[in-house]
């Protein structure tokens, strides 16, 4: 179809203003002869809701294919697979009339406790950005736009709607912005979603440096920037910064405010025209892809099963307990085997078209008579765990192999709340230990969206991380356990032994006002490998039912000049008896220089599938960014010269081959302050960064992080922080009435997620929370009343002109 623009009637000034706000919860406004753009949540399924479009409605979802979550897809390290899944999502979105899918999420996994980690790819920015780019290309190749999210440094659920991420410039550039940069430059998503939080003193939705100078001017982004739902603090300031579209919208409520901002000179006609043009172009692109017939659900399910199997990671396999032998008697234990945990909780929840269970699929593959079952622990509620455990032990006695399916219940891992710890439920740990003490051949399969603590791993023979495999995850797990699929998954995140092994644990999630990223570059394996911290399973780890041998690497040049690429070629051989996939990982160790650097960093990877005895040459190319650091003193990417060591292997701790290359630098770097060197060159364990060291690294005074006082209450104060006044406590009681998860609700993911969202909701979000019924003027008055500023409340209510902006404290 031609991209030539079609002549359309000009927009009036008010039309342009109205265009900058959504029409309802999921649609933009129609544009001069073009229809509204239909958006819906992703990223692992098309979460379209029927009926009223004024808010979330989890009971009115159109059934759709529930693909594996991002954490599972990332474990495949397979860019072609991610492209396939993106394309399948695009076809399904088209069939449902959806034109923009809100995903993928590429926020870095700073801590395994983040409640939304299942939606994100990795702790490594190169892996996250590369996989996201492949997903976007697949999706947009079908004519459906992606929304790359959440831009940026949105790495926790606690205070996620109001917190300010305080992060030093190197960590921001080298880690937190890097996956966005890769995806934008390589795939050009139709939209980028600005996050709820602030970054270094400004909300992401009104951050000119992020939204314009970096995203557009440096990276060349040409699409529309949209807000996360309810993320706008000051609409005029956001428009000026580069935020094109506010979502959701209600009855053009922002038009009077923007008209007043124009009259006052807070925004210009050029600001409005710029964003209106981008949104018109978004609508034009969306209109080029007409709705198509529904997809084949069987084909979608088959792809979902293949994708889920590719993300299953075989962590250990003592005595070759796996794959399960034909004819073996297997005891399957664990309530998750019958009622699996297969997706996350919150805005990404999908109503699946069908659902495989591990128990049902194992019985289908091994035969009904060969598989015994006992739940072993309560799926939820207060069932007698001791009795269930006794029944499970009895079922295990006559088995050749025991498979225990364990995992995190939905209420322990959900959008809106962070986890408090890394542990599985006590009843599951107790079952595993009891069965392992009584049986020598126990395999544990874990269903979770993020790492969990595995204190009994030395007591069991087999261990599998199944992640959240979507609607076909049960069949995928059965495929791997029985050997129909040879596992090739690799961890895209480290599995720590304990919470204190995570560098940010002493100051995560922070609050009440800020989240201080004191660990800087030391996220995941970058910390473990630099500080020499033992881990349960390292980044990149994953076993196979076959084995692989690495040859000697060859470099295509002896010295790398400025701007020159380097190609590394390595022969890899399948030395076992089964066909299988290996992921070759290339880490770079930099020479000692004027700026601290992690021990090693992933700079390239390649997945290769080999038949038994087959050898293939694997080529990996490194560009200038493989050696570069972000220099704060003279802002930009610069390469310290010297000898760099290339380390190739099967994980960050399983390095099989090495080579050295001399790299030409591009000038001197200013040495970091002594206070920074003292902590960050040799990071301590457990990690701690005193105020002086982090302040020197940050390069400015640290922002105030004291508790909110009533005199400071404003539109950005979270509801849960308003308890310093009688009226604040009354409002909390009124809004949260009936929402706190008690009784059986404690086990409901929806209830836990909703309660968390309400606690963290700033007052300005009452506009979204009431579906636009509570108007900006009333909310502004309410904020004044919460602080006891009754005169201000009356003035807000009595304002006869345009409604006051939904704006809290200034972050200029």
């Amino acid at each position: 179809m031609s991209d030539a623009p079609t002549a359309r009637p000009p927009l009036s000034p008010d039309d342009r203003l109205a265009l900058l706000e959504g029409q309802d919860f999921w649609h933009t406004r129609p544009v001069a002869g073009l229809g509204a753009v239909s958006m819906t949540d992703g990223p692992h399924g098309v979460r379209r809701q029927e009926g009223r479009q004024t808010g979330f409605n989890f009971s009115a979802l159109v059934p759709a294919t529930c693909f594996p979550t991002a954490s599972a897809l990332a474990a495949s390290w397979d860019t072609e697979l991610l492209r396939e899944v993106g394309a399948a999502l695009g076809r399904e979105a088209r069939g449902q009339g959806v034109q923009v899918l809100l995903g993928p999420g590429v926020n870095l996994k700073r801590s395994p406790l983040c409640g939304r980690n299942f939606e994100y790819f990795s702790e490594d920015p190169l892996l996250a950005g590369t996989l996201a780019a492949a997903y976007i290309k697949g999706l947009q190749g079908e004519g459906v736009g992606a929304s790359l999210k959440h831009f940026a440094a949105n790495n926790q659920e606690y205070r996620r709607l109001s917190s300010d991420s305080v992060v030093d410039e190197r960590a921001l550039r080298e880690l937190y912005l890097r996956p966005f940069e890769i995806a934008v430059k390589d795939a050009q998503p139709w939209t980028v979603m600005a996050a709820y939080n602030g970054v270094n003193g400004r909300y992401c939705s009104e951050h000119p440096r992020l939204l314009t100078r970096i995203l557009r001017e440096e990276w060349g982004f040409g699409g529309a920037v949209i807000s996360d739902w309810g993320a706008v603090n000051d609409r005029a300031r956001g428009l000026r910064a580069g935020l094109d579209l506010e979502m959701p919208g209600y009855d053009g409520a922002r038009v009077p405010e923007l008209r007043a901002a124009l009259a006052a000179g807070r925004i210009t006609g050029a600001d409005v025209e710029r964003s209106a043009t981008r949104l018109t172009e978004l609508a034009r692109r969306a209109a080029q892809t007409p709705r198509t017939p529904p997809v084949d659900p069987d084909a979608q399910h088959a792809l979902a099963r293949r994708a889920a199997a590719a993300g299953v990671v075989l962590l250990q396999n003592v005595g070759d307990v796996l794959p399960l032998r034909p004819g073996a008697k297997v005891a399957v234990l664990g309530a998750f085997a019958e009622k699996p945990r297969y997706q996350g909780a919150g805005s990404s929840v999908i109503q699946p078209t069908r659902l495989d269970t591990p128990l049902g699929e194992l019985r289908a593959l091994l035969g009904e008579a060969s598989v015994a079952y006992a739940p072993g622990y309560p799926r939820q509620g207060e069932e007698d765990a001791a009795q269930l455990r006794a029944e499970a032990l009895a079922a295990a006695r006559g088995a050749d192999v025991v498979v225990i399916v364990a995992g995190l219940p939905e209420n322990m891992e959900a959008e809106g709340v962070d986890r408090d710890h890394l542990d599985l439920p006590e009843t599951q740990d107790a079952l595993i230990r009891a069965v392992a003490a009584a049986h020598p051949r126990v395999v544990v399969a874990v269903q979770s969206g993020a790492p969990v603590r595995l204190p009994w791993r030395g007591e069991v023979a087999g261990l599998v991380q199944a992640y959240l495999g979507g609607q076909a995850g049960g069949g995928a797990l059965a495929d791997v356990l029985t050997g129909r699929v040879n596992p090739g998954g690799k961890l895209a995140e480290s599995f720590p032994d304990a919470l204190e092994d995570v560098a940010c644990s002493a100051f995560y999630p922070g609050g009440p006002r800020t989240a201080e990223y004191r660990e800087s570059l030391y996220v995941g394996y970058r910390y473990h490998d630099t500080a020499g911290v033992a881990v349960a399973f390292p980044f990149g780890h994953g076993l196979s039912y076959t084995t692989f041998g690495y040859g000697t690497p060859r470099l295509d040049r002896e010295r790398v000049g400025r701007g020159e690429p380097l190609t590394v070629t390595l022969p890899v051989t399948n030395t076992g008896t089964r066909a299988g996939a290996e992921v070759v990982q290339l880490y770079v160790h930099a020479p000692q220089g004027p700026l601290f650097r992690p021990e090693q960093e992933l700079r390239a990877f390649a997945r290769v599938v080999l038949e038994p005895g087959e050898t293939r040459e694997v080529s990996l190319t490194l560009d200038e960014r493989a050696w570069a650091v972000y220099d704060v003193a003279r802002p930009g990417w610069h390469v310290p010269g010297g000898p760099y060591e290339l380390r190739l292997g099967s994980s960050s701790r399983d390095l099989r081959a090495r080579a050295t290359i001399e790299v030409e630098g591009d000038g001197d770097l200013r040495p970091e302050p002594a206070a920074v060197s003292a902590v960050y060159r040799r990071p301590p364990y457990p990690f701690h960064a005193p105020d002086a060291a982090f302040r020197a690294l940050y390069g400015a005074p640290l922002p105030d992080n004291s508790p909110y006082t009533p005199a400071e209450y404003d539109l950005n104060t979270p509801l849960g922080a308003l308890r310093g006044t009688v009226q604040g406590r009354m409002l909390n009681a009124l809004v949260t009435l009936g929402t706190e998860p008690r009784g059986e609700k404690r086990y409901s993911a929806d209830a836990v997620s909703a309660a968390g969202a309400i606690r963290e909701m700033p007052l300005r979000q009452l506009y979204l929370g009431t579906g636009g019924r509570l108007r900006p003027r009333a909310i502004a008055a309410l904020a004044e009343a919460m602080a006891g500023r009754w005169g201000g409340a009356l003035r807000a209510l009595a304002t006869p002109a345009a409604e006051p902006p939904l704006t809290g404290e200034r972050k200029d």
Side-chain angles (χ1 to χ4, degrees), residues 263-466:
R266 293 191 67 221
I267 57 175
T268 67
D271 294 328
V272 176
E273 179 66 25
R274 178 192 61 212
S275 288
T277 299
R278 290 173 185 153
L279 295 172
T280 302
E281 173 61 16
L282 176 65
R284 186 186 69 80
R285 295 176 79 172
Q288 289 183 320
T289 306
R291 187 166 183 162
T292 55
V295 295
D296 176 358
D298 293 335
Q300 295 285 96
H301 188 80
L303 174 59
R305 183 165 179 156
R306 180 158 57 88
V312 172
V313 183
L314 179 60
L315 296 176
Q316 71 184 38
N317 193 19
V318 178
D320 290 336
V321 66
L322 291 174
L324 301 173
R325 307 299 192 265
K329 292 182 179 179
V330 179
V332 176
L333 310 179
F336 276 25
E338 188 177 24
K339 295 180 180 178
R341 171 90 192 286
Y342 62 96
Q343 65 174 329
S347 62
S348 65
V349 165
I350 301 297
Q351 178 63 44
T353 58
R354 68 182 81 170
L355 181 62
D356 291 348
T357 70
L359 178 61
E361 296 301 316
L362 282 170
R363 282 178 166 165
L365 294 177
L366 297 174
E368 189 88 17
S370 297
V371 180
Y373 169 70
Y377 56 79
R379 180 67 169 80
Q380 60 182 34
E382 306 298 331
E383 248 182 301
D384 187 344
Q387 178 61 32
L388 292 173
R389 194 158 55 246
E391 294 168 359
L393 283 165
R397 288 191 192 103
D400 298 315
V401 181
V402 179
V403 174
I404 302 176
V405 183
L408 290 176
E410 290 83 353
N411 64 317
M412 292 180 70
E413 191 177 25
E415 179 180 355
V417 291
D418 290 317
R419 292 157 64 195
D420 295 325
H421 53 74
L422 295 178
D423 297 328
L424 291 171
E426 290 181 9
T427 54
Q428 295 187 24
D429 282 340
L431 172 69
I432 293 166
R433 286 206 141 121
V435 175
H439 202 293
R441 295 176 66 78
V442 175
V443 175
V444 179
V446 179
Q447 296 176 342
S448 66
V452 295
R453 204 166 71 87
L454 308 166
W456 33 257
R457 69 181 189 277
E459 302 165 37
V460 300
L463 185 52
V464 170
Q465 177 64 24

Side-chain angles (χ1 to χ4, degrees), residues 77-110:
W77 293 58
D78 188 341
T79 54
E80 269 312 304
L81 178 64
L82 267 290
R83 190 191 288 258
E84 279 190 75
V85 170
L89 285 166
R91 291 189 294 272
E92 194 156 350
R94 278 208 328 261
Q96 293 195 26
V98 171
Q99 295 155 316
V100 173
L101 196 65
L102 302 177
V106 292
N107 295 100
L108 218 61
K109 297 187 179 185
R110 180 182 174 225

Side-chain angles (χ1 to χ4, degrees), residues 575-781:
T575 55
T577 59
R578 290 172 176 255
E582 171 68 331
V583 177
V584 179
Q585 302 159 43
L586 194 163
Y587 298 85
V588 170
H589 169 74
Q592 186 78 276
L595 301 178
F596 75 91
R597 301 183 76 165
E599 170 66 20
Q600 57 186 12
E601 297 180 276
L602 182 73
R603 292 305 194 217
F605 64 91
R607 184 176 181 273
V608 58
V609 179
L610 299 170
E611 294 296 321
E614 182 183 6
T615 298
R616 283 195 192 173
E617 299 278 341
V618 175
S619 291
L620 302 137
T621 299
L622 303 176
D623 62 15
E624 193 170 45
R625 288 290 285 274
W627 332 108
V629 295
Y630 192 84
D631 185 10
V632 179
R634 45 178 186 144
W637 294 95
H638 297 284
V639 175
Y644 286 75
E645 186 179 44
L646 311 178
R647 303 171 176 178
L648 297 105
S650 193
S651 80
S652 69
R653 295 284 175 94
D654 182 9
L655 301 171
R656 313 277 187 88
R658 298 174 189 248
T660 301
I661 184 72
E662 187 72 25
V663 177
E664 180 185 353
D666 63 359
D668 294 332
L669 299 173
R670 182 183 300 173
E672 63 208 6
V676 172
S677 291
V679 171
Y680 292 94
R681 282 192 180 269
R682 293 175 297 279
Y685 176 81
F687 187 84
H688 175 67
D691 286 356
F694 184 58
R695 187 166 54 244
L697 180 67
Y698 184 58
L702 300 181
D704 176 33
N705 197 24
S706 60
Y708 294 93
T709 64
E712 298 173 298
Y713 290 171
D714 66 11
L715 285 160
N716 280 316
T717 308
L719 192 65
L722 289 172
R723 300 177 184 275
T725 61
V726 172
Q727 57 269 29
R729 291 191 291 274
M730 292 174 62
L731 180 65
N732 265 273
L734 178 65
V735 175
T736 62
L737 184 65
T739 66
E740 282 300 318
R742 296 188 176 91
E744 287 301 308
K745 278 190 174 182
R746 287 179 299 158
Y747 309 106
S748 163
D750 289 347
V752 168
S753 184
I758 291 171
R759 281 194 301 272
E760 305 301 353
M761 179 175 65
L763 281 172
R764 60 179 162 80
Q765 268 219 329
L766 288 172
Y767 176 61
L768 179 149
T770 61
R773 289 186 293 275
L774 197 58
R775 307 301 277 187
R777 179 164 42 192
I779 299 172

